[in-house]
Amino acid sequence: MNDELLNILGSVVLNATPLVIASLGETITERAGVVNLSLDGSIVLSAMLGFVAAYSVSQSGAGSEISLILGVLAAMLAGAIVALIVAIGGIALRRDQVAVGFVLTLLAAGLAQFLGQNFTRIPGPTVPYAPISLLSDIPILGPIFFRHNIFVYFSYVLIFVTWFWLFRSRRGLALRAVGERPEAAFARGVDVNRQRYVYTALGGALVGLAGAAYSLSIKPGWATPPVMRGDGWIALAIVIFGGWHPFRVVLGAYLFASLRALSTVIQRTPEISISPVLLNLLPWVLMIATLVMVSSGGVERLLRLLPRPIQKMTRNVLRSDPPAALGTRFEAK
Amino acid sequence: MTKNQTLLNLALTLLPIIASVVISSILILAVGSDPRGVFEKLWEGAFRNSNALAGVLNFWIPLTLASIGLVVTFRAGLWNIGVEGQMMMGAVFASWAARTLVLPTPLLIPIEIAVAMLGGAAWGVLVGLLKTRLGVHEIFGGVALNAIANVFTIYLISGPWQPPEGGSAQATPPFPDYTLLPELSGEFPVSLFALVLTVVAIGAIFLALRGTRWGLELKATGKNPRSALLLGVPTERSALSALIVCGALAGIAGAYRVLFTYDSLRPLASGGIGFLALLVVLLVSMKTLLVPLVAFLVAALFTGSTRLKVALQLDQSLADVLQGTVVLMVLLSNGLRERLALRGRVGEGEPETEFKPIAPVTTEAPTYE
């Protein structure tokens, strides 16, 4: 494999990291039955706060390590707080989660722009490049996966931890029960709403971490309009595309990042003359296409085009049902 | 209702406003400015003279049109986030008409508006078909179509419609004067035609939702699509018609932005008004006749906020923050009111607001058949 291709694949992994972290966070939240629709705002807000916190701490003379850690914590806290407002509105105050989430999307983005107005386009601390000593020397895999920074490595760990927690642990069983059959979980002694608060906040904290991954690593700093605007919606769509399963969700995130990389490659290729503006359509067209693909109606229509024996197999791979109690309220009687 | 209950009810009504003022004051202090000065500038920006007031009305017209349209889609149980893109497509189609057709103004303007309605409605029905035929939730369909409309606009401005001196992606060349909506007067630059059109739209939608079979079918579709279908309501047609009406109204709003507010097509010509309209409708919980009033307050806030940059070097996103905080607080305090009502401490204020959990954001089999 040539070096250029390896570089591109490496950058795909790096650029996919925030999407991976945010969509895994939302997967956890939705598995517990809560929709946190505010992602597109809360990523932006936490990116801004993470950067500003890290910048301010480093200006006060603290070491860069301390300032980065505090920046990441500030971002995670912001994400968790926004998510908790969705949970409080949806559970304690019995509002429509979608309505609260939508309002927060706009509010958080506005807040980010307003509070961040004195911090635009200034250099600040960034998370250092840290190749892993032995692993990074493995041919092919090393340059692609192990020559990055801590955010990327954390996302690898997160993938497996999320999967293990959801599908191999007792608490994960309770978590899924809360999102599928809250009544049954309740009858078994699970405090449904408490679980929902905890996992919504946890998912939100991960969304905040994704914000920090932008402003402290991938797109360092802060600017208006924010560079990561729109990615929150894409992360939400990836969760659906991934069928609420961590591995498929991550696959979706890498797929999106690959296609983005492809579009920049196309832009640099003089033989292909397509307006660079139109390439910006790609993620959105792809978003609709993937959602059509996994929606039950869409799957059926596409499957009918396939020969019979393959139909059933493909159906099982593509079909994914959302947690049965997603977006609904539970009140113990 | 006892005196205590009345007081508590009053407190819960004022709570969101007070909380929003307190929260935004803290935020203003956080960026090192003076809250009192900011609120004075906001007021000044909106009401200092007839010109400023005209600015408020010019924001009110598209905002009200889009909000009225959203009342229709919410009635049908649809989260039409795509309204922003529907405005943009209205703007694009109106721009096409203004660039191509050469007709006398009185004839041209109705055509421009009609073409814009067509563009908005087409974009709206696309959201609907994605939902009913392909099972894509309208929120995701809408978000994607918004982005696509924006990219398309930038493509037109930087490509086929770029000014002869070269594309800076800022705007198309200005449209000729005879294609633009005329102003009432120099001191009070408002389009009388658009004003009348907006008032007519409010009345028409109010009556149609209240007194026609169509309105009733929309309501049935919104409340429970499955039982509506069983009772013989053509739910798919009903949902699509709501999106067509909303798209058409948003299309007029978009046309207004390019044919009056600006005189050319620009990126984001809709100015986020579609999203604001969603917030307006969340505030009034679908009471059509409250829309113009709330939209006026929002329009005043946003027009006033343009003053902040000039007078205080403050980012005008403060208006977004204020508006978002108010809507959030109203939503949450309505919840608080209901909770307290359940415990019998407050008299039944409003029953349940009409925003019940609607179909979750999933890929579930569409209920339209």
Side-chain angles (χ1 to χ4, degrees):
Chain A
M1 251 197 242
N2 67 27
D3 280 356
E4 202 189 344
L5 185 61
L6 286 182
N7 271 338
I8 292 172
L9 289 177
S11 80
V12 166
V13 169
L14 179 68
N15 286 312
T17 299
L19 283 178
V20 169
I21 299 175
S23 50
L24 283 174
E26 182 70 10
T27 302
I28 295 171
T29 303
E30 293 194 7
R31 275 281 180 180
V34 179
V35 179
N36 177 8
L37 198 75
S38 72
L39 254 58
D40 201 44
S42 47
I43 287 185
V44 172
L45 179 63
S46 48
M48 187 282 289
L49 285 173
F51 171 74
V52 169
Y55 172 80
S56 310
V57 174
S58 76
Q59 285 305 97
S60 72
S64 82
E65 233 162 74
I66 278 290
S67 44
L68 285 169
I69 290 172
L70 288 175
V72 168
L73 287 179
M76 291 178 76
L77 189 67
I81 289 174
V82 175
L84 267 179
I85 299 176
V86 175
I88 292 170
I91 297 168
L93 299 176
R94 306 170 72 210
R95 298 299 91 189
D96 178 7
Q97 292 167 8
V98 172
V100 180
F102 174 73
V103 175
L104 282 167
T105 309
L106 297 187
L107 178 55
L111 256 180
Q113 191 176 337
F114 184 71
L115 290 176
Q117 58 183 306
N118 298 327
F119 296 90
T120 51
R121 299 182 190 288
I122 44 175
T126 51
V127 171
Y129 170 71
I132 301 180
S133 56
L134 286 171
L135 293 172
S136 64
D137 296 331
I138 305 174
I140 300 176
L141 293 182
I144 298 177
F145 290 108
F146 301 111
R147 292 185 193 168
H148 295 295
N149 60 45
I150 183 104
F151 282 121
V152 181
Y153 306 141
F154 175 80
S155 74
Y156 302 155
V157 177
L158 185 65
I159 298 166
F160 290 99
V161 170
T162 308
W163 169 80
F164 185 84
W165 190 270
L166 281 175
F167 297 110
R168 289 290 180 275
S169 78
R170 270 204 93 71
R171 289 186 179 182
L173 189 64
L175 154 60
R176 283 183 292 138
V178 163
E180 295 285 351
R181 301 256 179 290
E183 297 80 12
F186 180 71
R188 288 247 167 172
V190 177
D191 187 340
V192 173
N193 285 336
R194 194 194 150 125
Q195 295 272 310
R196 286 185 170 172
Y197 279 119
V198 169
Y199 287 117
T200 306
L202 180 68
L206 289 173
V207 170
L209 184 65
Y214 278 115
S215 63
L216 299 177
S217 156
I218 290 156
K219 307 263 159 89
W222 172 246
T224 45
V227 284
M228 68 295 281
R229 198 79 205 264
D231 277 13
W233 290 112
I234 288 182
L236 279 163
I238 286 174
V239 175
I240 298 177
F241 171 73
W244 294 266
H245 190 289
F247 293 157
R248 252 176 75 183
V249 164
V250 169
L251 195 73
Y254 284 130
L255 183 74
F256 259 95
S258 312
L259 282 158
R260 264 192 197 164
L262 188 71
S263 79
T264 44
V265 171
I266 291 175
Q267 267 181 54
R268 278 181 303 176
T269 316
E271 292 86 45
I272 309 170
S273 67
I274 177 166
S275 159
V277 174
L278 287 182
L279 283 174
N280 293 334
L281 286 177
L282 205 65
W284 306 103
V285 173
L286 192 73
M287 175 167 149
I288 292 188
T290 50
L291 289 180
V292 168
M293 230 169 71
V294 295
S295 86
S296 19
V299 169
E300 281 310 314
R301 270 187 186 75
L302 288 174
L303 284 177
R304 272 181 224 136
L305 302 173
L306 292 174
R308 242 167 214 297
I310 316 178
Q311 271 191 22
K312 197 172 174 197
M313 218 174 66
T314 324
R315 182 178 291 124
N316 290 339
V317 177
L318 284 180
R319 188 87 187 257
S320 52
D321 292 321
L326 185 59
T328 60
R329 277 199 294 268
F330 175 78
E331 267 146 36
K333 304 241 158 51
Chain B
M1 206 187 277
T2 66
K3 200 176 159 202
N4 264 342
Q5 283 176 337
T6 321
L7 272 178
L8 197 55
N9 231 335
L10 186 71
L12 280 173
T13 310
L14 291 178
L15 181 75
I17 299 164
I18 295 167
S20 307
V21 171
V22 171
I23 292 172
S24 47
S25 300
I26 295 171
L27 293 172
I28 293 164
L29 288 171
V31 295
S33 200
D34 158 41
R36 228 187 108 172
V38 167
F39 288 118
E40 274 170 17
K41 289 293 168 220
L42 279 177
W43 180 265
E44 230 182 83
F47 301 117
R48 70 184 179 286
N49 55 29
S50 70
N51 224 307
L53 188 65
V56 176
L57 277 179
N58 285 326
F59 203 98
W60 179 82
I61 288 171
L63 181 62
T64 305
L65 285 167
S67 307
I68 289 287
L70 286 170
V71 169
V72 176
T73 43
F74 269 124
R75 189 59 60 99
L78 294 163
W79 259 96
N80 186 15
I81 274 188
V83 65
E84 186 75 19
Q86 289 148 26
M87 272 184 78
M88 279 314 291
M89 285 321 262
V92 166
F93 273 54
S95 303
W96 172 82
R99 288 173 56 86
T100 352
L101 305 178
V102 183
L103 288 168
T105 310
L107 202 62
L108 181 56
I109 283 175
I111 294 179
E112 285 170 336
I113 300 285
V115 170
M117 289 170 80
L118 203 69
W123 222 235
V125 90
L126 218 52
V127 172
L129 288 174
L130 275 172
K131 181 181 174 101
T132 60
R133 290 299 161 98
L134 295 171
V136 177
H137 194 282
E138 71 270 18
I139 290 185
F140 290 103
V143 166
L145 285 170
N146 287 348
I148 290 172
N150 285 334
V151 174
F152 184 54
T153 307
I154 294 170
Y155 166 73
L156 286 174
I157 294 167
S158 62
W161 291 0
Q162 69 179 319
E165 67 270 17
S168 52
Q170 296 297 313
T172 60
F175 307 137
D177 274 345
Y178 66 86
T179 63
L180 303 176
L181 295 169
E183 295 179 350
L184 205 55
S185 75
E187 290 94 65
F188 197 60
V190 170
S191 160
L192 187 63
F193 176 70
L195 205 57
V196 172
L197 200 61
T198 309
V199 174
V200 170
I202 298 169
I205 295 295
F206 176 71
L207 292 176
L209 286 178
R210 247 188 114 144
T212 66
R213 193 186 164 80
W214 176 71
L216 207 63
E217 287 183 349
L218 280 187
K219 200 168 178 176
T221 308
K223 290 246 172 220
N224 190 337
R226 225 174 266 277
S227 34
L229 188 72
L230 291 175
L231 289 171
V233 176
T235 48
E236 179 180 11
R237 212 173 67 196
S238 189
L240 291 181
S241 72
L243 283 161
I244 288 174
V245 169
C246 181
L249 288 167
I252 306 178
Y256 183 80
R257 294 286 288 179
V258 290
L259 297 178
F260 191 87
T261 312
Y262 308 124
D263 54 2
S264 55
L265 181 65
R266 320 180 163 202
L268 304 177
S270 56
I273 286 177
F275 291 135
L276 289 178
L278 278 159
L279 294 182
V280 167
V281 182
L282 283 179
L283 266 183
V284 302
S285 49
M286 293 194 279
K287 294 185 191 72
T288 319
L289 292 182
L290 274 180
V291 165
L293 188 70
V294 173
F296 185 80
L297 296 176
V298 173
L301 172 65
F302 276 79
T303 313
S305 74
T306 51
R307 210 63 193 150
L308 295 178
K309 192 95 204 168
V310 191
L312 302 166
Q313 284 81 49
L314 265 189
D315 198 283
Q316 63 188 68
S317 56
L318 179 66
D320 292 293
V321 176
L322 252 172
Q323 158 88 351
T325 315
V326 171
V327 179
L328 183 67
M329 290 298 152
V330 168
L331 270 177
L332 297 184
S333 82
N334 280 345
L336 202 60
R337 187 197 304 267
E338 260 173 47
R339 247 187 105 119
L340 295 176
L342 282 180
R343 294 190 197 155
R345 281 210 225 138
V346 191
E348 291 286 331
E350 292 154 57
E352 175 130 347
T353 45
E354 295 193 53
F355 284 93
K356 299 201 185 97
I358 50 168
V361 190
T362 64
T363 61
E364 234 177 334
T367 34
Y368 307 90
E369 276 147 48

